[in-house]
Amino acid sequence: MINEFFRTINTALEYYRVAGLDFSVTLPADTDTDSLLPSFTPFRWTGDANPVFSFTTAPETWRLSGMRKIDESDTDLGNMVLFSAAELDEERYLIELRGRKDGPVHKMLADSLFGNVRADLDWTSPDAPAILGSMLRIAFSQAVLLHGGISVHASSVALDGKAYLFLGSSGTGKSTHSALWLRTFDGCELVNDDNPALRLENGLVYVYGTPWSGKTPCYRNVSFPLGGIVRLEQAGSNAFTPLEEVNAFVSLLPSCSAVKGNRRLQDCLHDTISEICDKVPVGLLRCLPDAGAAVLCKNGICKNLIQ
């Protein structure tokens, strides 16, 4: 809860639409949102909105009890710690992000399904804009699960009207493989290089560009039907293997996220992955970083396109 020392400030409300889903962001009134969140500009929404989550930034103090650390990880932006907590006897998630070891801790508090998110950032810190973008990515990645969608750690390209998704652990060469497709196939284009979104709509799977694209500035408000998913593994030669059922499921699962222990979000994630794997071909590419790998990948995944 906000305590008696919370100071009310004038605020500005912005709406964004990503993967066909709206969300609202409330910021200090004097904020230049295009400068603060430049990658979000192509996704600003000015029509009628039905937000799947609301994100508010304001200085807050929360009365939390029963805090329990669920997860901790290091990302490109620094350290993230996730806690389960209670506020007025309702379950909440408290997330602390620190951009650098000696930097300030930025906090966000979300309800159990990430429909309502509040954030307290240290605006004097130079990493505040990047942290804000990261907070919005976290909130979106959980809220989208309730709407037939997932945020995927992957690189994606589009060719001949369909998008293809390249998965793999960090350092596997997802961006490199996308670059190979761009150089090898005429008309190929980059959709997103780090965090595209997938959604099930009217029985089809679509890939969407998002405001989050890692180190590659590719913030395109575009969508394509999903043509296939390929997990990459580095190897001494190129080999493509189609994956089905359980093998297809477990190839996609590690690249997605739902809060540990949250049964509702976990069930939504698993159901969506299962349906996606039923509708599009999935494969494993053991590969070298060469044009031959791109050709083999394209031939392998397109050969198994589900009509």
Side-chain angles (χ1 to χ4, degrees):
M1 286 290 292
I2 303 172
N3 71 8
E4 60 184 353
F5 299 107
F6 172 73
R7 60 184 180 86
T8 301
I9 59 175
N10 293 325
T11 57
L13 178 64
E14 296 280 5
Y15 288 96
Y16 298 94
R17 174 168 288 185
V18 178
L21 300 173
D22 307 326
F23 58 90
S24 65
V25 180
T26 302
L27 297 165
D30 58 352
T31 301
D32 180 351
T33 54
D34 286 340
S35 296
L36 182 64
L37 295 169
S39 67
F40 284 69
T41 301
F43 301 89
R44 183 180 283 115
W45 183 250
T46 57
D48 293 336
N50 184 24
V52 298
F53 73 90
S54 300
F55 186 98
T56 303
T57 62
E60 300 201 27
T61 299
W62 296 299
R63 294 173 183 164
L64 304 175
S65 61
M67 284 184 57
R68 177 174 58 90
K69 187 162 103 171
I70 298 175
D71 196 12
E72 182 172 4
S73 61
D74 292 317
T75 68
D76 291 342
L77 286 177
N79 180 258
M80 182 190 79
V81 185
L82 172 64
F83 299 91
S84 174
E87 183 191 34
L88 296 181
D89 298 324
E90 294 184 18
E91 185 179 25
R92 296 287 188 267
Y93 293 109
L94 177 66
I95 300 172
E96 296 183 348
L97 296 99
R98 189 193 299 268
R100 59 185 189 279
K101 187 175 182 180
D102 59 345
V105 175
H106 308 269
K107 299 180 180 181
M108 62 182 282
L109 186 69
D111 62 22
S112 61
L113 297 179
F114 286 78
N116 183 14
V117 183
R118 293 133 60 193
D120 187 0
L121 292 93
D122 182 344
W123 293 108
T124 66
S125 174
D127 63 8
I131 293 292
L132 175 60
S134 184
M135 286 180 170
L136 288 166
R137 178 185 57 79
I138 293 168
F140 178 84
S141 71
Q142 301 307 301
V144 72
L145 295 171
L146 300 174
H147 302 274
I150 51 178
S151 177
V152 189
H153 181 46
S155 184
S156 178
V157 298
L159 179 66
D160 298 331
K162 291 185 180 294
Y164 299 89
L165 216 63
F166 306 130
L167 317 173
S169 56
S170 180
T172 300
K174 299 181 290 294
S175 296
T176 298
H177 195 74
S178 284
L180 288 171
W181 276 57
L182 296 175
R183 289 198 298 266
T184 304
F185 307 119
D186 290 340
C188 188
E189 56 186 291
L190 187 65
V191 176
N192 184 277
D193 205 31
D194 191 62
N195 272 109
L198 304 182
R199 274 195 74 205
L200 291 159
E201 300 176 73
N202 302 317
L204 298 175
V205 187
Y206 289 87
V207 180
Y208 284 86
T210 74
W212 309 282
S213 190
K215 297 177 181 178
T216 304
C218 182
Y219 312 115
R220 302 181 61 204
N221 190 356
V222 295
S223 66
F224 296 89
L226 178 60
I229 300 169
V230 180
R231 177 159 286 273
L232 306 175
E233 290 184 3
Q234 294 180 350
S237 60
N238 297 321
F240 181 88
T241 304
L243 301 176
E244 298 180 351
E245 299 179 346
V246 173
N247 290 329
F249 181 94
V250 298
S251 72
L252 180 54
L253 181 61
S255 298
C256 314
S257 69
V259 173
K260 294 178 180 179
N262 189 313
R263 184 64 178 271
R264 175 82 181 277
L265 295 180
Q266 290 279 346
D267 286 348
C268 287
L269 173 62
H270 296 161
D271 289 347
T272 299
I273 290 178
S274 294
E275 191 167 351
I276 288 172
C277 291
D278 284 341
K279 293 182 179 298
V280 301
V282 182
L284 170 65
L285 181 70
R286 296 182 176 91
C287 60
L288 294 163
D290 60 19
V295 173
L296 179 63
C297 181
K298 176 180 176 294
N299 291 340
I301 203 68
C302 291
K303 179 180 179 180
N304 291 279
L305 276 175
I306 299 173
Q307 302 299 322

